[in-house]
Each structure stands twice: as structure tokens, then as C-alpha cells.
Amino acid sequence: MSETAATPPAPAVVDDSGWQRLHPATLALAIVRLGPGSLNMLPAIVALGIAGEWVYILPAFGLFVLISLLIAWFRWLRFRFLVGDDEVVIESGVFARQHRTIPFDRIQDVSIEQGLVARALGIAKVGFETGAGGKENDANLNAIALDAAQALRTTIRAHRSGEAAAPAATADAPAAAPDAGDRLLFAMGPRRLLIAGLFNFSLAALAVVGAGMQFFDDLLPFDFNAFNPGDWIDLAEQYGLDQWVIAHRWVAGVGAAISLLFIGFASGIATMFFANWDFRLTREPRTLRRTRGLTTRTDVAVPVKRVQAAILVTGWLRQRFGWHELRLQSLASDGEKERDHQVVPFGRLDEIDPVLDEVGVARPDAGQIWQHSHRIVALGPMIGAACATIGGGIALWLGNEVGWLGLVAAPLIALIAIWATRFHRWADLGEQVAIRRGWWKPKTTLLPHASVQSVDLKTDFLQRPLGLATLVFGVPGGSSLASHEIPAIPLGAAHDLRTRILAARTRR
Amino acid sequence: MTDTPAANPTDPFDPDAINAAQGLDPVDPAYAQVLRIATALNLIPIAIGASVFDALLIRHIEGPYGLITAAAWLIAIIVIATFPSRRVSRWGYRIGEGQLRVARGWLFRTDTIVPFVRVQHIDVGQGPIERWFGLSHLIVHTSGTHNSTVTLPGLHADLAAAMRETIRRHIQTDFA
């Protein structure tokens, strides 16, 4: 190690002393991962069962576990990494070797993630955020000891801020006290989580529970379906209440409704607590850092300069109470599923404003004059409504009563669609464009002009006679399915806006 | 009618009017031949497939033999003869003040502008059919998720190379 320190310009250590392996407890993680993996065994077990060779099942399973562990161990043996003076080198692969060098300069930040088992073992998964798009480009160390992970982050951060040109060895000391530059921007306590959970009323979980109850109806030792009012009457019967309940049928209905509500609220609160427990958003010298999670704790950093757009999401009801959610679109994606970084899951606007200030985005005030999209945006739902009418008509003609459903739904869909067009609006705020859409789930996108990489001006055979155009913006990051667009605005306005946006200079 | 001849870009029967009214240059007319050959390579196998299907199955079940074959070849010939030149006339481009503008399509028209400073890298590509006609296509890569690549086909090979040099100079000057 001293040799390395003596010759700082040397790009990599030649001898093996600097190489490190992953934490041995990683093998324990491999065992945990066997759980879902053992499903591969299912066909073999079924085959053995059909053949009547039950004695072989246990040895076969043992063999499978052994082989899996052996593979995990080989992988562990052939994976090594080196933290040099100004780069991280990772070598991996059992047969096909991969040698990857990541200069510290290119690492935007280091994320640390801990699952439930990893927390018990004191290890953490370290991800290097390089800003190179695509999952396959993300390098990570899965997993090393938590304190080593934090030391590694401190090393890289110190290098990036340029204050420590000193060898990496000195930065291996335990994480220093929080910088003067670090300050808490937003945090969520249990009380806030509870309120957020109440607004997070989830019918999706309800559907799962309902489907499960249908599915297990025959399997459950007791015959009870919370969604079936008849079952509530049966339950009452056992206590001699049946006469009273049949006389007051609404009691059964209320019972079913209460259980529905309970499941909806409970699942909403539970998901909120699991995802956002001890939520903290801190401002660090060049990043916004977010830690959260009850079982799986994640520690993610969003480089401020990489933020491309801010997205304010709220709901029809929560808007009435002044609650909003803030997401930031960045070059990197947030975890496996989410494309945008959720930096304020549930907060007041005056809590969101300081966060927006940090990324240099302003929120339009209440007096903002919005321009509206043309009513033609309702065309899609209108076609849907027409299809529902036709489908319902055909069903009725064939003698199926369900057809009425289509005939009733169609005008409702059409009316809501026409009414919802009022909520498609946009405003040019000088340095940025604000795009609002949605009535049930209002979403405001704040897009700085400087983030726009390209602009499409689209017209089609319907919009052209009406003198309309749709603007679509090419912005780094985010989902490729949900691009930022302003639909159906007057052609002249679209041309003006495009000219203004393209005139903007590169950001900062 | 006399004062502004190109003021009616919505005229569907005059494709040149769109490009002229929007201040765009047309792509090389030879690109129509490239598109025609590419379309033929796509459609003729389908027509052959339809003929085989007709001969083997429809004749076997004693249906109206010959109908599908005739329709398939007729449609293929009409499409190959007429569509490519129409499609080509609706491509347009403009190298403007520090920006590249590419427009395409009529039924669904898309007019894309990419400022040179936003270009990540540039490709000039040439397929075998394009080489036959001395054409190239220019592909501009941006870092946006939407429009990460903008393609402009039907450029004379020299022009494509010149455009690449123009854009490349701008990329360099921005970071200098």
C-alpha cells in the first residue's frame, strides 16, 4: 500500500496487494436468492413425483443447492476489485473475464443499498453512477461491508470535490462528520407517513386480495369471502342474528364496505411505511442525497447538474389538502422500476420549493396564466367511447344484457374526456416551460429550456386543417414511453415556443 | 392565388408545396429509386408467398383460385410504382444557423430540429442499394430519450460528408 502512495501517477497497482474481494457474507445472499431460483427445480420434482421415485427428491434438491452454491462461490472467487488513486477497477466473470476501469472523475456518485438480509449481515450493495445510460453499463459491487462502502464513497467524493489530492489510503478513515455543506432539505416522520398512507388508499392491493380470496375459496378451511355480503349473513346466522340481519340487509352491505375500506387503507399505509420509513433528503456539495426504506434501505444520490426536469404530481383529493409529490428527471434512473427520482414523496408546496431552488427550477405561482390545448386531444377517448357504444349495441342485439354497461359507460367516458381537456395546459415561464395535464392525477412538468436536446413539431391530417401542432421535446433521462409533449396548440404559438426554446444556451 | 403560391401547405396533392412553404430543401430524387428497390425487396416475397398460398391451399379446397394472386401482385406493383416517389417528396431538411432541421411524412408530419451543440455524435451510413446510387444517410445522435437518433436519408454522399463536417465543427467549437 505504501508503494502505491509513493508513486501517485501510477494508473494501477501492478502487484496483487491492492486487490479486494467482495464480503464473504455475499455467499449468504446467494443462498437467499436460491429461494426464487429453486422454482427451476419444480419440473424435475414433478417428473420424479410422477415417476413415483420419491426417494430421489431430497438428494436431487440437495444437489441443486450444492451446485448453486458452488457457482456462487466460483463467481465470488473470480470477482475482485481495486480502489486505486483515481479509479476503480473491477474484474469479473468465471470463464469470460471482464475488466472494467472507472475513473473517479466519471463517477457522478455512489449509491448504497441494503436489503433485509444484507442489513442483518452488515453488508451493502454499492452502485457507481456514471451517467452512461443503460442497465448493462451500471457497475456495482454486490456486496461489501457497510463501513467499507461508506469509506469508498467518502474517498470518491473527496476526490471529486478536489480538496483531497492525497492518496486514497488516508480517506479510508471512518466517515467524517457531516460537512458544513450538508443540510437536511426534507424528512418524513411516522406521523407524515401515516397521513401519506391514508391518501395512498390502494385498490390495486384490494384486487389482489379479492382475486386471492376467489382463488383460495375452496382451499380455505373456513368458507368466508369478505366481498360476499351473503357470507356476512351466514356469519351472523351462527350467532343467531340472522333474522335481524335479513331484516336489516344494509348491515351486511356496510360490513363488506368497511372491510374493503380497511384493506385499502391498510395496504396504502403499509406500502408507504415500507418504502419511505425514515425518509431523509439532504443537500450535499454537488448532489441531493436520499435515504429511505424500512426493510430495504437505499441511499441514492442525484447529481444536481444532471437534473433535467422537475415533475410535480398530486391527486384530485390530496390537492384539496395541499399535498404534492416531487420527482426529478435525471440522466440516471431510480432503481429498477422508477425512471424518475422521487425526492419528496408527500409534502407541502412550501417544503417542495426549497428543493426546487436547489436544482434551479421555479414553480409557476397561482396567478400564472395558462394556455390551453385544443379540444381535439379528447379524440382518443371519444373513439374509445364510440367503440364502447358499438360493442354494447352489438351485445344487446345478440341478447346479452351486459351491453347496457357499454351504452351507459360511453357517454360518461365522452363527457369526462371533453371536460378533462380543460386540464391540458402549458405556460412559458421564460427560462422553462410548464406543462400540466390530468384531472384525476394532475401532473405538472417543469422543463428548463436548456434541458431540451431536440424539438419535434408534429402535425397530422386532423390537426393541420385546424391549424394545430403538437410539440414533443427530446429530454435526457426519463422513460422512453412518456416523452414530454404539448399536444394540439396553435401552429403559430408552437413555432414561437420552439424558436425560444432552441435559442436557450446549454445549462450552467 | 397569385401573390402567395406556396401559402397553402395543406394541399395534399402538391407535396412540393409543403417543403417550399416551410423553407426546406428536398432530398436527392434518386432516393426514390432506393426506396423503390427496398420496397420491392419487401413486397415481392410477400406476393410470392401469397401466390404459393393461393396455389397450394385455395386450389386444394377448390376456392376461387387466382383471386389472391392477382390482388397481391396488383397491390405490390401499385405500391412499388407510386409510393416511393411520394414519400421522398415529403422528406425535407435544412442546415440552418447552428441547427439541423429534418421533416418527414404528410399524414403524420414530424418536423424535428436539433441544435448542433446538442449533437453527441454523427454517423454517415451507406447501404448496398444506396451505394449503387451514390447516396448516403446521415444519423445524428442526441442525448434525449425521445429522438435519441435523427436520421436524414437520401443525401448525395459528398453532401452527407460535408454536412457531417459542418456539424462536427460546431461540436468542437462549443467545447473549446
Side-chain angles (χ1 to χ4, degrees), chain B residues 68-88:
Chain B
I68 292 177
T69 310
W73 284 99
L74 195 70
I75 292 171
I77 287 168
I78 291 174
V79 168
I80 292 167
T82 60
F83 277 35
S85 54
R86 293 170 74 84
R87 277 169 63 195
V88 166

Side-chain angles (χ1 to χ4, degrees), chain A residues 34-108:
Chain A
L34 272 182
S38 57
L39 283 178
N40 297 334
M41 278 290 289
L42 222 56
I45 288 178
V46 169
L48 283 174
I50 290 169
E53 308 277 2
W54 294 101
V55 276
Y56 292 111
I57 286 183
L58 210 60
F61 196 72
L63 194 70
F64 169 74
V65 170
L66 198 70
I67 290 173
S68 302
L69 274 183
L70 220 58
I71 291 171
W73 184 63
F74 265 122
R75 284 225 184 100
W76 179 80
L77 210 61
R78 301 286 282 160
F79 189 107
R80 56 179 195 169
F81 67 98
L82 170 75
V83 181
D85 290 340
D86 49 8
E87 65 191 356
V88 178
V89 185
I90 298 173
E91 276 189 16
S92 61
V94 177
F95 297 112
R97 296 287 285 168
Q98 192 188 25
H99 184 101
R100 175 176 284 177
T101 306
I102 312 169
F104 284 172
D105 288 337
R106 284 282 170 263
I107 299 176
Q108 291 300 318

Side-chain angles (χ1 to χ4, degrees), chain A residues 387-405:
Chain A
C387 289
T389 314
I390 294 167
I394 291 173
L396 272 185
W397 184 62
L398 292 174
N400 194 333
E401 292 293 314
V402 182
W404 285 112
L405 210 64

Side-chain angles (χ1 to χ4, degrees), chain A residues 73 100 116-117 137-138 162 173 181 191 217 220 222 245 249 270 309 325 327 335 337 352 356-357 389 421:
Chain A
W73 184 63
R100 175 176 284 177
L116 194 59
V117 179
N137 286 327
D138 286 347
R191 196 181 138 80
D217 213 14
L220 288 176
F222 50 92
V245 167
R249 271 161 205 267
E325 175 192 342
R327 294 166 173 272
K337 298 184 201 92
I352 286 173
L356 283 175
D357 277 349
T389 314
T421 55

Side-chain angles (χ1 to χ4, degrees), chain B residues 91-114:
Chain B
W91 276 93
Y93 70 94
R94 187 82 178 175
I95 289 259
E97 280 290 306
Q99 63 188 31
L100 171 67
R101 188 167 160 212
V102 178
R104 64 188 175 278
W106 183 82
L107 209 57
F108 296 93
R109 188 166 179 82
T110 305
D111 183 346
T112 307
I113 292 185
V114 185

